Amino acid sequence: MKFFFTTVIIFCLCPAITFAQKSGTLQGRVSDVNGNPLSGLTLQISNTNHKTQSDTGGRYRFEIQAGKYQLICSGIGYEISVREIEIHPAQRMTHDFRMKSLDQELQTVQINGKTAIQEVRETPFNVVALDARASYNTTLDLAHLLNKSSGVRIRETGGVGSDVAISLNGFTGRHVKVFIDGLPMQGFGSAFQLNNIPATMAERIEVYKGVVPIEFGADALGGVINIVTNQSANTYVDASYSYGSFNSHRTNINLNHTTKSGLSVQLSGIYNFSDNNYPVYGRIFDLDRNLLPLETQKVRRFNDKYENISFVGKIGFVGKAWADRFFIGLTAGKVDKGIQNANNLFTVFGERSSHSNMLAPTLSYDKRNLFTKRLSVRLNANYNYNSNTNIDTASRIYNWLGQSRPNRGRGEAVGTSSMTEFSNRNGSANANVSYSLDEKHSLSMNDVYTHFIRMPSSSLTAEELDETDLMRRMNIKNVLGISYRYRHSRNWNVNLFGKQYHTKAIGPENISTSNTGTSYVERTESFPAWGYGMATTYFLKDMQFKFSAEKAVRLPTEQELFGDELFEFGNLSLKPETSYNLNLGFLMNKALSEDHALYLDVNTYYRQIEDYIMRNIEQRFGTGFNTNHGRARNMGIDGELRYYYKDKIMLGATATYMDLRDKEKFRSATGTAISYTYDGRFPNVPYCFGNIDAAYYLHNLGHKGNTLNLGYALNFVGEFFLKPESFGSSEKATLPQQVYHDLIATYIMENGRYNITLEAKDFTNVRLFDNFGMEKPARVFNVKVRYFFMNRANKK
Amino acid sequence: MKIKNVLRMTSWMLGAVLIAATGCKKDKSGENEEPTLGGKFFIAASISSAGGSGATGQGTTYALSVDNMEEGETSIIGNGIEIPNTYTHFAYNGTNTVFALLYGQGNSYLATGFELDATSKLKRTGADVVFPNQFATVGAVGNYIVTSRSSRTLSNGKLGAVFYFIDYNNNNATTEKFMETENFQGTGLEAQFVGIEDAGNNEFLTGVTLTNGDPNKVYVAKLDVNLNVKAFYQDDRLSYSAGQRQGARYSQMGNADNGDTYVFSGSYSAATTKHAGALVIKKGANGFDPTYYFDIEAVAGYRFKRVFHLTEDYFFLEFYNTAGAPATAGAASQYAIVRMSTKEFKWISGFPAKEEITATSWPYANPLTGKCYVGVTTANADPVVYVVDPKTFSAKKGMVVRGATGISGLGYLSPQK
């Protein structure tokens, strides 16, 4: 593999694509319609890496090779402006922009021009950037917005606020890491998560599949999701409320005010509530005879209320000499929810609930051109504290009909105590320094440090608790990344990087050799590991080609290292999991003519995972434990195709197909018995899915400046097996193919100031499932009203 | 009409678990009958995880039916009823129903029934039995399958035990009963029950462990199905009668075919000075037989973990691989057969070496033929059903189960009429 990588890197560095070095200068000034200079707006030259931002005086400057280009100026809150330019060798050309505010225009119809989204898409990494702004009038939370992306599936357990896990190129759980503005969200608790943050709080979501830039110091094999929150420095109000099926209410207010002196205050509030009393098919427990029939009946969920309130406040400065952006912030949140069932649908709870609070102070600092034009610095830090309480004190046993009978003791869940509390504390800090040596060479260094500590109070009865439940579990991780970027020309660049991972896990270890008692000591384990890779991209007219390769690692968790001292035994000799991955991407953004535009993005990948950490059970020891055992191979293709006709019609489709297979020949690490799942598909992983969507815009309907937007989506998930495909005959656990349709209509008034949306999700009422028969809400109706007002805050 | 029935409890453990009691005993009343035509053997084959590298979580059972377990092979590929659990205990309603019990490890505790329909096709019974307050040990008493779990906090705040009585003469309707166990029989200590052995007249014997009790004493209580304590026996020749691994408990009692109850002790406690051995409570007797004591540790050199009855007075014992008091997670994969009346002991011949065995199923004796079977899993091959001949202390290789990573239980079923 090493040889292979070396070959790949050499191959990619070699091609001597030469270009004429005759260049000219392009410069200008960006201002608003009144002539006030605008800073921080993005200027980009189409199909190149040339990109800059206007400075505090609104000025910009490029040195570019002679040729014909499109020059694009964009920024949040402003209409995009595009100029066709032709520059000759040694020519000095000036282009000034007078930017029109978008509160004069429709914000929802941004289909041309280069935005931050496209900048992300055009990096050499295998990345999908989702524009959250297009979904501001929907009731989507970030998780469901992600579900519209190619290569990504969310796996969920139920209705509003239900637990979600992201499956990225077939990897899920510990193999996919989620970041918010570049900082890990791990440990944030349930009050501020993908399943309750509304789309309006984000500007975009970046999905890095496989190879991950060093800025995310993550030991993730599957990839990284990065949520970029609204970075706008304008003054605006965005308030919305929606009401829908199953008594679901969603409220969200975002306020942003930036003074002329650069003082900026951002406030956001989220409130979500739902009864989640949607129908499911359940087996009705016979309370008199303790029997659970195999047949199911249609019932309504009755203990699944969800309530979430969160607040995000930030205060800081923008556009100062000492900082482009400096913010301190506080995120606070609270979740209260009923627990209706366990991980399957046959255990029903009538009164269990869970409650969680979180508090997270944050700090961010961003400065380009620090001391010198060549140095940029970015610092981020956050600290999360969350406390969780699970309440299970009812002395009753329930069935799906809501009937109950008294039971001994307190607690509906078998084997769990009636009230458990635990808290997590989690801190992370990220520092990034970039230095450009010259036009072609730049270096960047990134370090992410995370610190996690949990004082567990396990969900076990008193007789099953032991002294280790009072011992700390701690995990410290540091990921240092260094990357070098060589920009050969405007058409071709290459990125080489190395990552050093270091983890320290502290947890209890049983050193007793007898059975009379246990004797625990605190044990510390440290692991270093190395990863490296490269990414390159080449632009050809409207097309872009990408190639990236990486050796990535995932470090063992403290649970895998130390076990839970009950059913899981730790394995202190675990090695990190290793993934070798190759990605090849193609992107095209083509204006076919004045009226027609086409966007195509296709990615293919190959992954090989080694030393996969696998859970084993052996009866002779009577316990589960983890070993480095297992190989997996994944090949896949995912893509997105979009067509735009003027600002009237948009048609799009995403599709994902992957071939994730078990490549481990032996059943266990300790023997040579041949595995019959060798070369079989991984169970419980959807491998073929996609969606088709269409939107039609009727402009100036009813009144000038009003627009009616009609949307339709078809969603498809192919059948997949919950257990190994080849085993078993009848009553095999499968999730059938699911095809369902959504309709959405939004009426936008006064150029986006007032919006009313009607949604009908799964309007044919097809039953929807995930995981092991977990039934999700089928047909859902929502109505949403939204108010948006923006006022230009002209800095300086 | 009192249906003739044979109950055998089977127990198999996977994960961290525990077991209960009672073995494969022969159906006396059925000895002279011909095997029912159209009957099939039942195999609960399992895979230990969801399958696939890196897959985690609960294992899966593939319930198979075969005509013969003595030779040849079967497979779970494209075959078997798939159930997303691995069962830990087995119990039988004659050859009518196999009950596979799931010790939930915090999940659900339930029993799934398997039977043959009139065309000899294997199917699940119409309903599962649920044990909302869990179980830890299981046995057969009269026309009930009885499960029990101790150290439950009752609604009055006191510690107690919960029992479930599955009445298979009444469509498996199951009754839940509670019993206080603090200051048990005036000892001042809390009692925990492991093992359930039919003592006739709807009464049963159960091994008693007293919390913080004397590790140099063995206690057995006789209860009726209404949970009245009919008798309480103790003896100082053995330690308590229960195998253990953390929360798990393993039955160490068994009825011989003549109705005598053998009470074993594997001397799990490192605090005991008693050897691992066995006593007997003769059928109908009012206490331990003072003349019978079998010092098994003296002849074997090891202590044992699990005890299963095979046939007549032959028992199948699972020993720890290292001598002395067992370590909490000590490996136990040595197997011997003992004949209790004559105190004969022999390591079983024909089995794989102890280093190779990773798991065994509960031994099963077909009530219609008296033949005994046990599933054996090794690290280097597919699991195999061994045909055991207790009288020669030997076993031979029978049917291979392709694809499975273990065999949890076995049985024999006759078609429904």
Side-chain angles (χ1 to χ4, degrees), chain B residues 201-243:
Chain B
N201 305 318
N202 272 345
E203 294 176 342
F204 58 93
L205 294 169
T206 182
V208 177
T209 307
L210 294 172
T211 310
N212 300 317
D214 185 348
N216 291 320
K217 276 189 175 162
V218 59
Y219 303 91
V220 170
K222 186 192 271 187
L223 308 180
D224 66 16
V225 294
N226 296 314
L227 303 183
N228 299 304
V229 181
K230 308 298 275 190
F232 184 51
Y233 311 130
Q234 55 176 293
D235 200 293
D236 58 10
R237 287 174 290 173
L238 290 182
S239 182
Y240 58 80
S241 175

Side-chain angles (χ1 to χ4, degrees), chain B residues 9 45 97 132 178 310 328:
Chain B
M9 308 320 330
T97 314
F178 295 99
L310 291 178
T328 309

